Structure formats: structure tokens, C-alpha cells
Amino acid sequence: MTAELTRGQNHPLPRARLEIRVSAGTPVVAGATLGDENGTIHGVERVAHPGAPTLPGLEVSRQAAADHRLAVDLDAVSDAVHRVSVLLALPVGGNGPARFGAVAAPFIAVTDLDGGEVASYTVTGLEAETAVVALELYRRQGAWKVRAVGQGYAGGLAELLADQKLSQAHQLAASIHEAVSSGLARSIPAPPATAPAHRPDHGTAPRTGPGAPVPPPTSPYDPQGASASGPQTPGAAGRPGAPQPYPGGPGEPATTGQPSASAPAGGGPIDYSHPRRQNAAPPPPPPAAPPAEPGQSARPVAGDATGWSMEERLYNQVWGMFEDLARTTAAYRSAVDFAESRMEKELDQVLSDPRSRIGGQGDAAREAARSRHGQLVSQAREVLDRDVAQLVAEAEVVEPALPAAFARWDNPVWHAYRVPMEIPMALRLGDLHLPEADRIRVPMLIRLPLERGLWIDSGRSPSLDGSFADSHEMRRLGLEAAVAHAARLLAIYPAGEFTVHVIDPAGSGAQALAPLVQSGVLAAPPAQGAAGTADVLARLTQRVDLVQMALRAGAPDALPPGLDTSQQLLIVNDFPHGFDDRAVNQLRYLADEGPAVGVHLMMVADREESAGFGPLLDPLWRSLLRLTPVADDHLADPWVGHAWTYEPPLVPPGSQVLRQVLSQVAAARRSWGR
């Protein structure tokens, strides 16, 4: 039976391996400190946080999120540790809440590895505090207990850590917030709150271990403050919703630059839900496939998720697959780490026991420890392989069913392409995979309209096979990737609803830009030279100013006649060549303010070449979603924080599909007079 604690109450812990689950109404930073009998922290190495998420017997999340799962193995912590304090803090900067009193009360649950609750605690009574010690696990007479604390600090993490006698409190707090900002910059934007994805059980056994996708404790609050019966994020089987990244960064619904009835008068986020369905549950998924033969898994079907349309069901299904793979891999890695920790502990015990030096007892004990390690790893791999095999089977039926916006360029759906009449839900920016599951590629789907600009990194970097591409080759590949992304955006928007501008100061991208230029889909020829660059930036900056003023005044219909209200994309090639200080400031302004009013940035640039601007450009790089023209493992998922290998959506060599699609887009634009 679960013990529902109030502040100050304690409860015995029945086992050493536990999971601490956090459910908050907004993205928070989760961490833990290891203290002595008096709660004193002896050095920064005793604090687990996003910048240093793993300590002996303890692992915390690598980024800010609305939901967290902290893995604890009390048998593995040092004998000098008597208190494990779980702390929460609001990220600094951005557009997030400034105090815990403005958000839902965080809910904390201590569970076993099967998801059964041991104790829970709702942290109430917080007002101006920005950091809180939620609960602590403490050792008393050789046994461990949990105590509900709920001690808040208006001074944030620095005050909290200083109260635990950490001498480097302020420096560590600053490094934690810097790590959170960096994590958010590389995190794939989670979808905004929608209907929960239905992830049916296709025969996979329940996963166990830290990071496994088991249902979190019921909370009266959902991610981002949604009610328990309201919309939620697509998630894994049985999960009420996926964690949301920090508002203002990846994951927050963006406003659109196209004035419409759905845009609030104050310029706030758009409500994407159907106006007559906001309080209604989405329809259930379609009927399941016929039952499988005894002893076999059920056959997966495309669209086996909740949603109002097949497109939404496929979108939710893909995100469910993404989360399933992230969490089953986390469970595998956690099991391997536990097996290695257990083996090391057993080997240390053998070495410390003088009796093991007599005869062959020591050799037998070491062999037994290694055998148990191999058995645990083998069992974990078996579970992972089973889950991956099911996801591979699901991907094989989902991939051919994807609409053009979600499909690869080699999908037959492009051969039957017609210019759409409606804007799709999302856009495919590439594929993702993990080293433990190289057989499956998960589509990287990002909601539309884009809420962050894109940075195609053309800097020299080693590919996964260890080879290097020279700078000229990387620039060419980077611009070709940008053209492929832009062509897809033009293809999936209705005619006249998306406009592309290009700045190519030195004219070095003429060959890669040829598909866009020759098809006639650009708003104007690529701008060249300092004068051309200044002209394009001035026009787009003015457009952002005008739309912002109209929305803030509550008069979106008061825009000047003839203003192009379509979504705008600016492709910048070979940055920073041709950019002076004024142009750089305008570029930063477009990156920060543009997405909210329908102006988006896509930069093809090598960060090292702009080093002359110093830290001035650091906020620009952080505000953009970094992509690469070659496979690279730089992106993180929004739940566990794995490093995923990203593969760009390249057009197959020799294929004419891109030019054929662009010719249809150009013809549709001409028919609409655009």
C-alpha cells in the first residue's frame, strides 16, 4: 500500500533499488545531493545534476523536463553517505515561470522497479521559491527511509546548495543552469500538447529498471499544466504524456505569422485544437489487426494510435515509437550499468576478504561474479532485442503509409504528389537511430509551424566512419541539405502559403541552389553582395515589426495592404561572409522574434568561421536547431537525453523527384498569381 506523505513524515524503504518519479506542471531541473549525517555536501562531486548526471548509485535526468525518473541504488552509494536529497529547480532565463507558486504543485513518488509506489508526496505551500528540496532518503541504524521535506528557497539553487554547506554553491548553480541551457539547445523539440498516443501492446513484456516506460504515478496535473482529462503529449504505452522541454525553447507551441481567428489578440500561443473539440476525447485508434497465432506477437498496423485523422494517428504513432525506443534503450543501459556495478562490488569484496586468498576460493568467487554479470547483461539484451524487433516490424508497416510531409524522398508517395490544400501537422527533418538498435530508423518529425530556426552545420567534423570531408565539400553538402529541407517545406504547404528567400553573398552556392532557382519557386533571385543582403534583411525585419505591432494591438486585420502573410523562410549561405555588425544584429533579431510571427531562419554556416564576432553570436547558435549534412550523433531526445545519430533526408542520387515536385509547386504558385 502506498504511503501518501505530508511534510515531515517518513516511511521505511523496502528495497535498495528504487526509482524516484517527478511530475511537475512545467519543465523543471531535477538533481540530487549526497550528504553526511548532518546533510553536509563535501564537494561538487557529491551533486548529481544535468551536467554530471551519474554518481555511484544515483542517476538523474540530463535536461529540464516536466517529468523525471531518477534511478537510485542505495547499496551502491558510499558508506559515508547518509542522506540523498532530491532537489527541483526552475530553469533560469527564457519565458518560463519565475516561481513555484505560479505552477502546479510538483508530485514526487518513490517506486520499485516494477512501477509499484512505495511512497508519494505532493510539494505544496510554495510561493516565491525557485528551488526546493522535495524529499530525502536517509540512513538510520543501517536501514533506509524516505522523508517528505518540501523546503523551498527563493534564492534558487545557489541558496539551496549553500544551505547544505557546499562552499562552491554559486559556481555549481551557474554551471547547472548552463548545462540545462545547452541540453535544451540540442534537444529535439517534443510535440505540443495533443491527444495521447495509443501505444498498443504488441506482445512485448513489461520493461523494468530505471528509465523503463512504466506508468508514472497518477497526478492531478499533466505536463504544461493541462488538466488530467485534457490534451496530452504522445507517449509510450500507458504513459499519460511525454515530458515537455522548457517553454520558450523546444517544445513550446509557437504562434504563427499568418493572422487568423485562432491567434490571440495579445500575440500568445495558438490553440491548435479544433474549436468544437477542445473538451472532447479523441476517437479511439482503428480496430487492431487480427489476433496473432499463439506464442507470437500481434502484427502491428499503421495508424494504431489515437487522433482525429490518419495523419495525426501516424504522427502520434511515430512519436510513440520514438519514446518506446528511447526508454527501452535506457532500461537496457541501466541494467548493464547495474550489472557492472554489482560485479565491481563483488570483486572488491573478494579482494578484501583474506580467506579468498586461500586455495581457489578467490578464483571461484571472481568467476561467479563475472558469470552473474554476463547473465544479467544477456537477459537485458534479450529484452532489448525483443522490443527492437517489435519496433522494426512496426516501422516496416508505418513507413510506407506516411504522407509526403512525413515520408523520405524515396517513398513512392512522392510519385503521386499533388500540391496540398491544407498545412500538415509536421515535417520530417531526417532520421534518428541509436547504436544499440541500428536496425531501426525513427522519423524525426517536427511540428509546424516551425518554432525554431535551423542551422545546417557546414563545419568540418569526422563522420561516423572516421573519415573527414574538407571545408568546400561540407559547404556544398550543407547547402544541398538546406535546399532539400526548403523544397519539402514548399511542397507540403498550400500554393502561396510559404515563401523562400535566399542570401548567397558571394554567389558560391549557385550549383546547389539550381533546383530552387530554375524551378521559379523563390520569391526573388538569391541576394548577393552587401547591398542585397541588407535589402532582404531589412524587408524581413520590417515584416516582423509590423506583424508584432498588429498582434499586440489586437488588430491583425490592420496590416498594410499587399503584405505577404504567408510563412517566410530565409536561407543564409556562407555566413558570416558579407555580414557587417548591423546585418548580424538583424539576423539575431529574426532568429529570436521571427518564428512567433511566421519568419523562419535556415543558416548554412561553420561556427568556427564566425569566431571573430566572439560571444555575440552564442545566443544565435543556441536558438537554432543544429542539423548536419552528414550523419552525426549530436541530438538528444526530450525524455531520457540519449545521444541520437541524426541522418539528413537526402534525395537519392540520380533521382529527379525533387525537381519534379518543385515544378508542380511552381505551376501551382503561378496559377494562384504568386
Side-chain angles (χ1 to χ4, degrees), residues 2-6 107-110 117-122 135 146 148 217:
T2 303
E4 297 182 2
L5 305 179
T6 59
F107 178 82
I108 319 294
V110 180
E117 284 189 19
V118 176
S120 64
Y121 173 47
T122 302
L135 53 80
V146 58

Side-chain angles (χ1 to χ4, degrees), residues 21 57 65 132 139 167 213 238 252 265 268-269 291 306 391 442 461 494 524 533 561-562 567 615 626 635 638 670:
R21 302 179 179 180
V132 59
R139 196 197 309 253
S167 57
E252 184 187 14
T306 53
L391 289 171
V442 178
S461 61
T533 299
Q567 297 283 309
R626 176 176 174 253
L635 291 174
R670 288 192 295 270

Side-chain angles (χ1 to χ4, degrees), residues 6 32 75 81 85 104 107 111 129 135 159 207 215 245 334 552 660:
T6 59
D75 285 341
V81 174
S85 300
F107 178 82
T111 75
E129 295 87 348
L135 53 80
E159 183 181 355
R207 302 166 192 150
S334 178
R552 289 170 182 168
Q660 293 170 0

Side-chain angles (χ1 to χ4, degrees), residues 10 34 45 73-74 80 200 203 215 317 377 385 403 419 447 464 509 601 669:
N10 60 51
L34 304 179
E45 66 277 3
D73 183 0
L74 296 173
Q317 188 173 14
V377 172
D385 289 343
V419 177
R447 283 294 294 263
L464 296 181
L601 188 62
R669 288 171 61 88

Side-chain angles (χ1 to χ4, degrees), residues 250-505:
E252 184 187 14
T255 55
T256 179
Q258 190 170 351
S260 65
S262 61
I270 283 183
D271 184 356
Y272 289 99
S273 57
H274 192 286
R276 290 188 295 276
R277 295 174 177 161
Q278 293 182 12
N279 298 318
E293 297 295 330
Q296 296 182 355
S297 300
R299 292 188 297 274
V301 296
D304 200 1
T306 53
W308 292 108
S309 64
M310 188 60 175
E311 179 192 41
E312 185 175 2
R313 288 173 174 172
L314 288 168
Y315 171 82
N316 288 345
Q317 188 173 14
V318 168
W319 267 89
M321 293 166 58
F322 185 17
E323 184 175 358
D324 277 355
L325 184 55
R327 294 197 181 277
T328 194
T329 304
Y332 168 74
R333 292 179 178 178
S334 178
V336 171
D337 290 342
F338 169 72
E340 293 177 351
S341 175
R342 176 175 173 174
M343 182 179 68
E344 291 175 0
K345 187 173 183 179
E346 291 176 347
L347 293 176
D348 289 341
Q349 290 174 349
V350 171
L351 294 174
S352 63
D353 187 355
R355 293 172 298 180
S356 66
R357 302 169 190 168
I358 302 174
Q361 295 182 14
D363 293 338
R366 282 189 288 270
E367 183 61 29
R370 295 189 181 98
S371 176
R372 282 190 290 270
H373 170 269
Q375 183 179 7
L376 289 173
V377 172
S378 178
Q379 291 173 350
R381 186 72 214 192
E382 182 180 349
V383 173
L384 176 67
D385 289 343
R386 181 199 61 208
D387 291 347
V388 169
Q390 182 56 48
L391 289 171
V392 169
E394 190 171 5
E396 289 175 349
V397 299
V398 169
E399 189 71 47
L402 295 177
F406 301 175
R408 290 195 295 251
W409 284 111
D410 59 358
N411 192 307
V413 71
W414 288 106
H415 296 295
Y417 169 77
R418 294 293 182 271
V419 177
M421 299 299 294
E422 296 181 354
I423 300 174
M425 287 184 61
L427 164 77
R428 185 172 188 159
L429 289 180
D431 292 335
L432 302 164
H433 69 91
L434 291 171
E436 293 88 348
D438 193 57
R439 292 184 296 160
I440 182 172
R441 299 296 191 268
V442 178
M444 180 180 170
L445 302 183
I446 303 298
R447 283 294 294 263
L448 293 176
L450 295 173
E451 59 190 38
R452 295 173 71 186
L454 303 178
W455 166 28
I456 314 298
D457 188 356
S458 60
R460 292 185 60 186
S461 61
S463 62
L464 296 181
D465 60 5
S467 62
F468 282 82
D470 61 33
S471 57
H472 178 75
E473 178 71 4
M474 288 298 294
R475 290 194 191 98
R476 182 186 65 81
L477 293 174
L479 190 53
E480 287 180 355
V483 169
H485 289 306
R488 182 182 293 265
L489 283 163
L490 284 164
I492 64 178
Y493 270 80
E497 293 297 318
F498 199 87
T499 303
V500 176
H501 310 265
V502 176
I503 292 178
D504 185 21

Side-chain angles (χ1 to χ4, degrees), residues 205-232:
R207 302 166 192 150
T208 59
V214 290
T218 303
S219 168
Y221 305 103
D222 287 328
Q224 294 190 336
S227 66
S229 60
Q232 299 169 340

